[in-house]
Amino acid sequence: MLTATDPSTGKLLHEVPAATPAQVEDILARAETAFKSWRARSYSDRAGVLLAVAKLMRDDVDRLAVLMTEEMGKPIKEARAEVIKSAWCAEHYAEHGEAYLQPETLASDATLSYVQHLPLGVILGILPWNAPFWLAFRYAAPTLMAGNTCVMKHDPHVPACAQAIADLFVQAGAPADIFQNLPLETPAVEAVIRDKRIQAVSFTGSEKGGGAVASIAASEIKHSVLELGGSDPCIVLADANLDEAADIITLSRIINAGQSCIAAKRIIVEAPVYDSLVEKLHERLAKLNMGDPREETTDIGPIARAELRDNLHGQVTASMEAGARCLLGGELPSGPGYFYPVTLLVDVTETMVASCEETFGPVAVVMKAENEEQAIAIANNSDYGLAAAIWTKADRGEAIARRLEVGQVAVNGIVKTDPRLPSGGIKRSGMGRELGPHGIREFVNAQQVWIGPKQGG
């Protein structure tokens, strides 16, 4: 049974039966059958489906947004933005997918030699709860545009979001079964990964989950793309625009109540401006409004589940016990729901839990560096390598970016995902890339074709 709970109240929303083995078999069989005809469709036909789905999302943004707010607590103004961004992703690949997959001619001893990009088959997407629509379309839009079919195993805590996404394709008149929702409890997904009809896996989620998925897929000689956790550093050097940096860092840290892989999680500040930036962050964080995610004035909604909030509070408490100073928040609130206050921890060091582990909540962690070299060393001292931000002069920031062990760097801006640009991590933050031209090429067969001299006759 898939159970959705309203995190703002702790009350049960609804329960959805998990797919039976017979239903799973039917879904996989239909996905494989649909692939045979979908792969033969023109890019224009595939684009038409994605554009129709995108239009439905834009026309029905309020209804779709509320599903996220109810099932995982995303503030309604952020939920609307997520629906719109998901539509943009579908539109982007509809408009650019064909160009991304154009054959590439390569010189050789052949009369003609080139690489063409062909679809693989049925691609399984295993998705988390924290951005239900965006992560679904980040996986599905390029996968479908490349000519594959999609089976989506969404997080069991957001079943209404998952079904709504699948319903969009039906409402848009898409060819039957090119995109299907697979409602499963997590332990049942291993058998699906191993099924011979699944050709590859896209996974977004925890480091532990990603390791399990990658191991299972590898044992079946299947490709997987993993977007896992992050403990993203944000370096602020003494020559930065501190007011602008404080504004953007505050936003980066509290979007989705801090439940984002690419949020600014370790704010590493050069000593001469440390006290000043701490003061500016405190001022901005203190003004944020935590409350009912359905209200337009709410900046911070609840943590998605009780056990996630408990883990977050444990990380905060352990760091304080190790010597971190808490200037804001840090205490569990009373009352219903799984709310956690905006928290500002300063004087955090590299051995503290808040630096070593990913903090998935509205907790700003500030660390001091004596100079640029130490800031880079602190930033790289992590098992994760998803993304980073740098605040300094642009040319200096660009030079530093080359020295950071991450898959994505923002200089004087917020780390974000963009359909036009590849995104992904290194180290324990994952492997492979999503989005941009790189993302659509993850789930294709890069087939080399060699053509010799013309035969006489």
Side-chain angles (χ1 to χ4, degrees), residues 67 79 92 296 410:
L67 298 175
H92 176 78
E296 300 289 344

Side-chain angles (χ1 to χ4, degrees), residues 149-168:
T149 55
C150 293
V151 171
M152 177 185 69
K153 185 271 174 197
H154 220 317
D155 187 277
H157 298 93
V158 291
C161 290
Q163 190 56 52
I165 293 165
D167 289 345
L168 286 167

Side-chain angles (χ1 to χ4, degrees), residues 126 138 201-215 217 223-229 386 423-434 442-443:
I126 305 174
R138 187 177 73 177
V201 184
S202 175
F203 176 89
T204 300
S206 70
E207 173 189 344
K208 180 180 178 182
V213 167
S215 297
H223 177 56
S224 61
V225 170
L226 309 177
E227 203 269 38
L228 310 179
L386 191 55
S423 178
I426 61 172
K427 299 196 282 190
R428 300 192 73 85
S429 286
M431 58 188 184
R433 290 295 179 268
E434 295 179 301
E442 287 286 356
F443 297 125

